[in-house]
Amino acid sequence: MRRNSFIHQVFKIALPVALQCMLQASFSIVDQVMVGSLGSVSVAAVGIAGKLNTLYGVVIGAVVSVAGIIISQYLGANVNEEADRGFSLHTLMSLGIGVLFMVMCLALPVQLMGLYSEDGSTVAVASDYLRIIAFGFLPYALSMIISVRMRCLEKASLPLACSIIASLLNTALNYLLIFGKFGFHTMGANGAAIATVISQIFNALLLAVAMMIVDKKIGLSFRFSPKLSKMTCGSYLAIFLPVLVIEFMWSLSENVYASVYGHIGTLECAAMTLTYPIQGLTVGALSGISQAAGILIGKELGKGETLSAYQKSKKLLLYGLIGSFALAALTMLSMGIYTGFYNVEEYVKATARQILIAFAVILPVKVLNMILGGGIVRSGGQTRTMMIIELLGTWGFGVPLALLSAYIWKLPIPIVYFILSMEECVRLLLTWIIFVKKNWMKKI
């Protein structure tokens, strides 16, 4: 493989990102198995608390996504000072959002968790978990924004290394704190939350040090300045606000889905929670292609190479499609082994396997949406169109189908999940039309 070939550039970014996402998901599986030994209530409680945590992660993801668009395009155009300004601005925004979410979760944990479940014991465990996990919001935001800058500099292996160390620390602390080993007090689900917060703080510190080392090594003189000089406030908001709406409304829909699952029943909610690590592991394995798409296609557009950007985009979609079929097959073959690790009711295991079958069927469409809408089309800054498509797919199809199938038709949770996932097909069709028209290929 030639070092300057396109596939080498893709692997240089995509492989570390994919490994990092898979690593985080695999350690999440270990966490789930540890918490799963405490029973279905603890599994369901951690699952619903994690949904609010996911909402926060998605909002931060919107900030990071726009940061990646701006940083990659300015690096492609060799305007390094403006790339630094983009990083500075989005660092401040991420930390501000982190403070807001932390205060909300500390002040209203019971009320927030009550939105997801009517089971009093589940809400109580989830509220305690949420109070602790909120202290990890700020270091998480810092880790995300530093990681995207490193990837835009094509140094994606360093965030991976930091993530490996932090994940190992998290797993070790989980074992000590959940079960009270080596003299530690037995904390159950709260122990898992404490372990997560400590590992996130450690990861943020490692990444900050790594960023300073990289800047020194490649001769960058980073200057903190949150004011973009080559982009008006209006043009920036035209990119940022649609992404924020997309990510927030998508996450809100996921929370609606979690509420639907929770109201179907605690055992059904636990079954869905069991599938989250596998979903994260499989999607994470191909998320690197989406990240690589946003960065590499953004740099091509920053240089004004629209034809090259289009041809490389099609190659990225092909890579993702092949990988998604392989992972869908692997999910089907391994789901029985995976669910066997959990100390939960047989009904929960059987339901989880049925959900994983539905997930595997829809996985190729999910992956293509992630690469095309989340990486390629966004790289040109055409986020308003994507906002319309996302809102139409999720709130025009997904949410209504979820409510109808669960509350009116009263279908089993695996079928509810599959029906609401049809929103992915709607989004892919609309995004493909935009892609082939080529109106998204713009230099910001």
Side-chain angles (χ1 to χ4, degrees), residues 341-365:
F341 288 134
Y342 289 92
N343 182 27
V344 295
E345 295 85 345
E346 185 57 41
Y347 172 77
V348 174
K349 294 180 183 180
T351 303
R353 289 192 293 269
Q354 293 169 0
I355 295 170
L356 286 173
I357 292 173
F359 168 74
V361 171
I362 204 68
L363 179 62
V365 182

Side-chain angles (χ1 to χ4, degrees), residues 176-245:
L176 296 175
L177 299 179
I178 291 174
F179 304 115
K181 301 296 183 179
F182 297 101
F184 285 89
H185 181 65
T186 302
M187 299 181 186
N190 288 346
I194 294 171
T196 298
V197 171
I198 293 174
S199 63
Q200 285 176 344
I201 293 171
F202 188 69
N203 188 43
L205 292 174
L206 283 178
L207 282 167
V209 172
M211 184 180 71
M212 290 186 286
I213 293 173
V214 166
D215 283 358
K216 184 176 181 179
K217 185 176 181 180
I218 64 180
L220 286 179
S221 55
F222 174 74
R223 294 182 180 179
F224 189 88
S225 175
K227 182 177 176 59
L228 294 172
S229 61
K230 293 185 177 296
M231 182 181 291
T232 65
C233 181
S235 59
Y236 172 78
L237 291 176
I239 296 174
F240 174 71
L241 289 179
V243 173
L244 181 61
V245 171

Side-chain angles (χ1 to χ4, degrees), residues 142-182:
L142 190 59
S143 297
M144 289 287 287
I145 196 68
I146 293 175
S147 293
V148 79
R149 181 175 184 264
M150 304 269 273
R151 290 164 188 160
C152 288
L153 292 171
E154 299 189 20
K155 301 293 181 181
S157 59
L158 288 174
L160 170 62
C162 294
S163 180
I164 291 173
I165 297 171
S167 296
L168 288 171
L169 174 64
N170 181 54
T171 299
L173 289 174
N174 269 336
Y175 178 72
L176 296 175
L177 299 179
I178 291 174
F179 304 115
K181 301 296 183 179
F182 297 101

